[in-house]
Amino acid sequence: DAGVTQSPTHLIKTRGQQVTLRCSPKSGHDTVSWYQQALGQGPQFIFQYYEEEERQRGNFPDRFSGHQFPNYSSELNVNALLLGDSALYLCASTRQVDSYEQYFGPGTRLTVT
Amino acid sequence: AQSVTQLGSHVSVSEGALVLLRCNYSSSVPPYLFWYVQYPNQGLQLLLKYTTGATLVKGINGFEAEFKKSETSFHLTKPSAHMSDAAEYFCAVGPFGGGGNKLTFGTGTQLKVEL
């Protein structure tokens, strides 16, 4: 049973560019959340998708957007990249019915230069 | 609003010694509480969780934590540290009742285990 998978594992972008990160949830899970973990910090909640809609959002600007597909996989898009967007981006999946049990993927390390 | 405070960004113990990582939370609603472990260049792995019921919860790798409502604490312990326990540990809080839990994390505690 595959767990949460994310791609790519590492990414280097230039300021002002756009990036798309991808996540496939654990089998049987229907809800995907995204977190940003800056160096030396705890993960910060970006947003959560369920039934292809954004259900909750953290304190992140509109440059951060997402999507969930019918197969429950998800994308995180970040526009107009800033140096401060450099971080580990974590995807977590769960089942909506018992969503306290969240499983995290290995993350995508984004470096903005 | 919910928040988590982890006391001590770095903790060092000897192999075989007691591990104690501190976590205090703030929540306006009954909380769900979690401890996650993160090894270098990896994602987060759930160690244990408190939802309802018994306040002493046991997790993987010999870790346990006790929910103390009066102290708003959820400290993580392990009787005897092993070298493989060296990692970063995060305490997190989520709102009671599920419904798509947004987790609020502490800033983490780096555990070092020395011979």
Side-chain angles (χ1 to χ4, degrees):
Chain A
D1 176 25
V4 180
T5 60
Q6 293 186 242
S7 64
T9 54
H10 295 85
L11 205 51
I12 300 175
K13 289 287 189 177
T14 303
R15 277 179 298 175
Q17 287 188 317
Q18 178 265 344
V19 68
T20 297
L21 311 181
R22 296 176 175 82
C23 171
S24 290
K26 181 178 170 64
S27 178
H29 287 186
D30 56 11
T31 301
V32 172
S33 300
W34 287 91
Y35 292 80
Q36 180 195 66
Q37 186 179 15
L39 199 61
Q41 300 294 317
Q44 299 286 319
F45 176 78
I46 302 175
F47 43 52
Q48 183 181 87
Y49 277 83
Y50 171 63
E51 292 186 326
E52 302 179 47
E53 291 186 8
E54 183 182 294
R55 297 291 179 160
Q56 296 186 67
R57 190 178 182 90
N59 188 25
F60 280 80
D62 292 346
R63 297 187 298 108
F64 290 77
S65 63
H67 189 78
Q68 185 180 35
F69 299 94
N71 67 352
Y72 308 120
S73 66
S74 177
E75 289 181 349
L76 164 65
N77 300 293
V78 187
N79 294 322
L81 284 167
L82 303 174
L83 295 179
D85 295 331
S86 295
L88 180 67
Y89 288 85
L90 295 165
C91 170
S93 75
T94 188
R95 295 193 312 164
Q96 186 65 206
V97 293
D98 53 8
S99 54
Y100 53 81
E101 190 82 38
Q102 297 200 27
Y103 291 80
F104 283 80
T108 294
R109 173 72 63 187
L110 172 65
T111 302
V112 182
T113 61
Chain B
Q2 298 182 309
S3 66
V4 171
T5 301
Q6 290 184 242
L7 297 175
S9 58
H10 292 83
V11 170
S12 183
V13 301
S14 299
E15 191 174 34
L18 171 72
V19 175
L20 171 60
L21 304 183
R22 299 179 186 273
C23 172
N24 288 90
Y25 70 92
S26 173
S27 178
S28 56
V29 298
Y32 283 173
L33 294 158
F34 308 83
W35 276 98
Y36 284 86
V37 61
Q38 187 175 35
Y39 297 99
N41 301 313
Q42 294 188 26
L44 302 175
Q45 180 183 10
L46 180 66
L47 277 177
L48 49 79
K49 63 181 182 289
Y50 168 77
T51 54
T52 58
T55 56
L56 181 63
V57 293
K58 296 185 184 298
I60 62 172
N61 302 339
F63 284 95
E64 61 182 38
E66 187 171 9
F67 169 60
K68 291 187 177 180
K69 184 179 178 180
S70 61
E71 299 178 7
T72 60
S73 69
F74 190 58
H75 301 330
L76 181 71
T77 60
K78 181 174 180 178
S80 177
H82 191 271
M83 294 297 289
S84 61
D85 295 327
E88 185 143 29
Y89 292 80
F90 292 94
C91 182
V93 62
F96 179 82
N101 259 344
K102 161 194 168 183
L103 294 178
T104 299
F105 286 85
T107 53
T109 297
Q110 186 71 44
L111 176 65
K112 182 178 180 181
V113 182
E114 300 175 314
L115 287 172

